[in-house]
Amino acid sequence: MLLLTAVAAIAGWLFIEQQFQRMEEPLALEHPVTIEIERGTTLQGLARELEARGRLPSAFWLRLRARLEPELTQLQSGVYQLEDGMSPLAFVRRVVAGDTQTWTVRIPEGWTFERVRARLADAEPLRNELEGMSGEVVMERLGRSGMHPEGWFFPAVYEYEHGDSELDVLERAHDRMQRILSGVWRDRQENLPLDSPYEALILASIVELETPLSEEKPRVAGVFVRRLERGMRLQTDPTVIYGMGDDYQGRIGHADLREYTPYNTYRIDGLPPTPIGMPGEASLRAVVNPAEGDALYFVAKGDGSHQFSSTLEGHNEAVRRYQLNRSEDYRSFPAPENGAD
């Protein structure tokens, strides 16, 4: 009798072990399955959902397993992915660990604040809580009352979770820009014609819009720094375009260069009042450590690079060569890679 009881017990335990092992078998899925765990969801509720979706042989055995592993009941809310090759038990452990599904959004170098806002508004599932707010109000929400938003958000790829908002991403981007700008300013050359980190941010935004080539940024920055030192106007087209706002339709003419705006550096002395886009770290470092030289001018050559000149005569010759006799494949910027902005 005792032998039969022992055999039955062993058989029963082996059966239970078999059921537990089934929960650890990898699932074959054509596509990841997204499951939202709401606050207050119990293991029993999750087990029933997995069973209903055909991803768990039996909810009963998962609940029984939790008696041996009580930590399995400590579910964290969020959105999770059940992936191909993952077992049901591994998925539950992912939920316990809070390894939620994440998404990414990219802020490209040189983009304006309004373009960044538009991208964030289209990024799902980011919560849209900034619609209709002015840039100044957005900065107030970030605790930066009175600060103009342009230029203050570091261009990079940002990760976010379900439940995050546009303001959450902007806060991370703003904090990162502040950290990087502060470090860059500490490493600056002496005797620059820049009086504050903010002026460095403004000039870096111009360099960013003038050239995407990392190796050219210090040379472009050098031209602008020398012009500032000599009291020459910057005379840079991207500032004119920024000042034109919605009136810019892809081209600027002589009348646009003569039109006064606070950003038209053909008409104003020194720097414009704010940045004109979001500069990357290479541009920031370029303006505080500009390349040495005597160039005071540069012009786009049509292949994305620039011709630098130290005299007006040399610059005019470069303009005639590269601007007045443009080839059909002329480009102010290098051709973008696939998928690039």
Side-chain angles (χ1 to χ4, degrees), residues 152-330:
W152 274 116
F153 301 92
F154 189 77
V157 175
Y158 292 92
E159 190 174 85
Y160 60 92
E161 299 178 354
H162 181 79
D164 283 349
S165 71
E166 301 157 302
L167 195 65
D168 293 319
V169 175
L170 287 176
E171 185 172 24
R172 294 167 203 155
H174 178 61
D175 289 345
R176 189 170 178 182
M177 178 62 86
Q178 285 189 305
R179 290 195 305 271
I180 291 176
L181 178 60
S182 178
V184 166
W185 183 250
R186 285 195 301 270
D187 296 335
R188 70 188 183 279
Q189 290 181 10
E190 296 182 357
N191 302 317
L192 288 172
L194 303 171
D195 295 330
S196 67
Y198 190 57
E199 290 193 352
L201 184 67
I202 293 173
L203 186 55
S205 73
I206 298 173
V207 171
E208 189 68 60
L209 270 294
E210 282 288 5
T211 178
L213 301 178
S214 296
E215 64 272 19
E216 274 197 350
K217 291 181 186 295
R219 297 185 69 187
V220 171
V223 168
F224 289 139
V225 165
R226 283 185 288 276
R227 293 180 76 92
L228 288 172
E229 289 174 337
R230 300 184 185 198
M232 298 174 66
R233 289 178 174 171
L234 295 184
Q235 296 184 319
T236 170
D237 292 353
T239 62
V240 178
I241 292 170
Y242 187 86
M244 292 172 66
D246 293 338
D247 291 336
Y248 177 67
Q249 299 298 320
R251 295 180 65 87
I252 55 176
H254 292 295
D256 299 314
L257 299 181
R258 291 192 297 269
E259 184 73 22
Y260 176 82
T261 77
Y263 292 89
N264 185 348
T265 51
Y266 287 84
R267 295 293 311 277
I268 67 169
D269 296 327
L271 296 168
T274 74
I276 60 173
M278 311 298 174
E281 187 168 357
S283 294
L284 289 166
R285 293 199 177 279
V287 299
V288 297
N289 289 283
E292 296 181 358
D294 57 4
L296 293 170
Y297 309 89
F298 59 87
V299 63
K301 294 165 64 175
D303 60 357
S305 64
H306 293 81
Q307 177 68 41
F308 294 83
S309 305
S310 58
T311 66
L312 182 57
E313 292 76 16
H315 175 63
N316 288 336
E317 174 58 32
V319 169
R320 286 190 292 270
R321 179 178 179 184
Y322 295 111
Q323 295 283 313
L324 301 183
N325 299 295
R326 295 185 179 188
S327 61
E328 292 184 1
D329 60 349
Y330 178 94

Side-chain angles (χ1 to χ4, degrees), residues 73-90:
T73 64
Q74 305 302 310
L75 306 183
Q76 298 193 46
S77 60
V79 175
Y80 298 85
Q81 278 203 327
L82 176 59
E83 300 166 352
D84 180 48
M86 177 180 285
S87 70
L89 192 58

Side-chain angles (χ1 to χ4, degrees), residues 97-146:
D99 183 14
T100 59
Q101 180 182 359
T102 60
W103 293 262
T104 60
V105 61
R106 177 176 172 240
I107 298 177
E109 290 87 348
W111 273 29
T112 63
F113 178 66
E114 289 306 317
R115 290 189 74 186
V116 171
R117 286 189 65 174
R119 169 160 286 189
L120 295 180
D122 290 338
E124 295 184 350
L126 270 182
R127 287 188 294 109
N128 186 340
E129 61 181 28
L130 302 181
E131 186 174 358
M133 290 186 187
S134 67
E136 288 70 21
V137 173
V138 172
M139 296 307 287
E140 287 180 10
R141 292 285 300 275
L142 291 171
R144 303 296 175 184
S145 181

Side-chain angles (χ1 to χ4, degrees), residues 1-157:
M1 185 66 180
L2 290 176
L3 179 61
L4 290 176
T5 301
V7 169
I10 292 173
W13 178 249
L14 290 175
F15 177 74
I16 293 174
E17 279 289 304
Q18 184 182 42
Q19 299 307 311
F20 285 171
Q21 288 175 4
R22 291 183 66 189
M23 289 187 294
E24 298 192 50
E25 294 175 354
L27 297 170
L29 305 174
E30 290 186 11
H31 305 285
V33 177
T34 300
I35 299 177
E36 181 175 358
I37 307 298
E38 297 181 353
R39 188 179 301 276
T41 298
T42 63
L43 179 65
Q44 180 174 343
L46 175 58
R48 287 176 176 172
E49 181 172 356
L50 290 174
E51 183 180 27
R53 289 172 175 252
R55 309 306 180 190
L56 183 68
S58 171
F60 170 78
W61 295 109
L62 179 57
R63 297 197 302 272
L64 184 60
R65 181 63 177 258
R67 293 188 178 183
L68 301 177
E69 298 181 50
E71 62 271 17
L72 293 179
T73 64
Q74 305 302 310
L75 306 183
Q76 298 193 46
S77 60
V79 175
Y80 298 85
Q81 278 203 327
L82 176 59
E83 300 166 352
D84 180 48
M86 177 180 285
S87 70
L89 192 58
F91 175 74
V92 174
R93 287 178 175 143
R94 168 173 282 187
V95 176
V96 170
D99 183 14
T100 59
Q101 180 182 359
T102 60
W103 293 262
T104 60
V105 61
R106 177 176 172 240
I107 298 177
E109 290 87 348
W111 273 29
T112 63
F113 178 66
E114 289 306 317
R115 290 189 74 186
V116 171
R117 286 189 65 174
R119 169 160 286 189
L120 295 180
D122 290 338
E124 295 184 350
L126 270 182
R127 287 188 294 109
N128 186 340
E129 61 181 28
L130 302 181
E131 186 174 358
M133 290 186 187
S134 67
E136 288 70 21
V137 173
V138 172
M139 296 307 287
E140 287 180 10
R141 292 285 300 275
L142 291 171
R144 303 296 175 184
S145 181
M147 183 182 290
H148 194 283
E150 198 65 83
W152 274 116
F153 301 92
F154 189 77
V157 175

